[in-house]
Amino acid sequence: MIRSRMDKLLAVLVFVLTESMCCLSNRYTPKAAGPGTFSFASYYGDHMVLQKEPLQAIIWGYAVRSGYILELSMTPGLKYSTHVVPNPSGSGGIWAVKLPPIKETGPYNITVTYVDGTLHLTDVLFGDVWLCSGQSNMQFTLDMAFNATEELEDSKNYPNIRLFTVAMTQSQKPATDLLGIEEKWSIPNKDTVGHKPWSYFSAVCWLYGKYLYKKLNYPIGLISSTWGGTPIEAWSSADALAQCNVKDYSQDERMAHSVLWNAMIHPLVNMTIYGAIWYQGEANAGSPDNYKCLFTAMIGDWRNKFYDGTNQATNQMFPFGFVQLAPYRNNSSIIKGWPDIRWHQTADIGYVPNYILTNVFMAVAMDLPDFKSPFGSVHPRDKQDVAKRLVIGGLAIGYFTLRIEYDNSTSILDIRSNDGFEVCCSTNNQSRCDGTDSIWMTAPLIQHDQHSITMSYKGNCSRKYVMGIRYEWRESPCLSKQCAVYNANNGLPAPPVIELGLFGSASNHYVSYKGLPRKRFI
């Protein structure tokens, strides 16, 4: 894979060009664009949002021929020029302009002039561009969510949020440009945010952008690139998979390694973005063991690829948010799969950001079941709470507008249930709680103060050591917003956690614990 460096005039623009334009599209292929034509890259269009200061936006495209000077002008009175260089794929030329940091949000009209003709973009805003990706719970559209009628009606009140949806396509090689577009850059209205189920626009992506806009009060660009039922391997580059020793195999084309990265993410790496949010993991719950490595590697690789692809215009540590898996089946006895993915999403630490996942934030969703969802209980309709929780983390990590507290003693607890805690009982004081010499038993809360809880294991661990504690370690641990531990100030739930080690013995039937919730309570 060739990484674009754009070091000469931004130009050399090895723009990740491959001979790739090769694969299937479920929607339509952009017309009058692409190699050998005078055009913008496919994801530039009227009404779009380009990245504002302090970052630098990039505008690039194609030309019929190379070797001449191209001029780009923006109203009012801003002009830039660059050379058009030969397209590495051998068809025509390619060009790019790296704009200076733009403070004023616009709108702007952009004109590109070359010997091949003139191109125009109108009503372009400068703001923050967020990429939203993942599987079906990110693809889940606003018209399917709770309060859909009100949400769709309200969308017209946010004309400075702009939307773009990538079509579901695949490629065996990293594609230079998008192979299909589901929704071109659009201004919010009932149709553009609620076209039809599973089409556009992503509910979590829209609501995240809407709540973020209400805090920042400047333009937000939202790019949705999703495909339901897909594993993380499909969204990961070959470089990322190699870090986890993953071999390339799959019988299902949609599941094939890197095919969605190649077609639906890689073409975007030459566009400056501010951050990304992710909702995925269900498709990996059947084999969760490698998810810690895969997720960590994917985040780092996306950051590096966007940083390189934009000639360092995108922050190499751009904020990355994710949704911890929501409940699935109405069965509180299931302890495999979903809990493992939730744990691995935090790199087995229990909270983010942490020393492995830096500049990462999350929304805990395990307390938001929807067992009566007409779209299946794996697709809960409450996307509003998910997005609100994401925005709290996004503001703290991405915009430094809120203080993050790590000290357990600073968070005031709201205890809503005495259930959810378990202790690992074993006669072996070296047990790893893997079931060979141990058993997990419930440990109800018997008291708590503002900063700690006390649980009892009396009668459950008779003449045994307590070798571990875990919290809400279930696929569907509680009813709506009725898990045990929340932050009293903002209502954020504590995430699930598991900790191993000697906590107590038969002579002491109570454990006072300040390790939960081990997360940032903002």
Side-chain angles (χ1 to χ4, degrees), residues 48 63 91 101 109 201 251 265 307 353 368 371 394 409 471 502 517:
M48 75 178 302
S91 177
N109 292 326
F201 191 72
Q251 299 299 317
I265 302 297
Y307 177 76
L368 301 175
F371 302 127
S409 66
Y471 171 66
L502 182 59

Side-chain angles (χ1 to χ4, degrees), residues 270-334:
N270 301 125
M271 182 183 193
T272 308
I273 65 171
Y274 192 87
I277 58 173
W278 172 260
Y279 196 160
Q280 190 277 337
E282 299 91 341
N284 290 90
S287 301
D289 292 348
N290 208 25
Y291 200 87
K292 172 187 175 181
C293 182
L294 288 168
F295 193 40
T296 302
M298 188 198 78
I299 294 172
D301 186 66
W302 280 26
R303 285 170 164 170
N304 288 334
K305 296 296 196 300
F306 275 91
Y307 177 76
D308 287 346
T310 57
N311 192 32
Q312 305 176 10
T314 297
N315 186 344
Q316 192 171 16
M317 293 300 294
F318 65 74
F320 189 102
F322 68 90
V323 181
Q324 232 182 11
L325 292 188
Y328 176 19
R329 291 162 289 193
N330 189 10
N331 184 342
S332 61
S333 68
I334 301 174

Side-chain angles (χ1 to χ4, degrees), residues 131 133 225 235 260-269 302 306:
L131 172 63
S133 189
S225 184
W235 297 99
L260 304 185
W261 156 261
N262 289 340
M264 298 178 66
I265 302 297
H266 184 271
L268 302 171
V269 301
W302 280 26
F306 275 91

Side-chain angles (χ1 to χ4, degrees), residues 316-384:
Q316 192 171 16
M317 293 300 294
F318 65 74
F320 189 102
F322 68 90
V323 181
Q324 232 182 11
L325 292 188
Y328 176 19
R329 291 162 289 193
N330 189 10
N331 184 342
S332 61
S333 68
I334 301 174
I335 60 173
K336 298 291 185 181
W338 254 242
D340 300 295
I341 291 293
R342 292 182 186 125
W343 185 240
H344 296 331
Q345 285 176 313
T346 68
D348 295 0
I349 292 175
Y351 58 88
V352 291
N354 57 54
Y355 68 94
I356 297 175
L357 296 175
T358 56
N359 235 31
V360 172
F361 59 97
M362 73 175 176
V364 177
M366 67 177 179
D367 65 331
L368 301 175
D370 187 6
F371 302 127
K372 296 182 179 181
S373 171
F375 311 105
S377 58
V378 74
H379 300 125
R381 290 165 288 176
D382 183 1
K383 304 306 186 190
Q384 288 84 354

Side-chain angles (χ1 to χ4, degrees), residues 423-431 433 455 457-458 461-469 499-513:
V423 293
C424 173
C425 306
S426 177
T427 56
N428 176 11
N429 65 4
Q430 300 297 314
S431 174
C433 298
M455 65 190 78
Y457 58 91
K458 186 176 183 179
C461 281
S462 179
R463 295 188 295 277
K464 293 184 176 69
Y465 296 100
V466 175
M467 294 303 302
I469 295 175
E499 293 194 15
L500 303 181
L502 182 59
F503 286 88
S505 64
S507 61
N508 178 17
H509 297 141
Y510 307 100
V511 176
S512 292
Y513 194 50

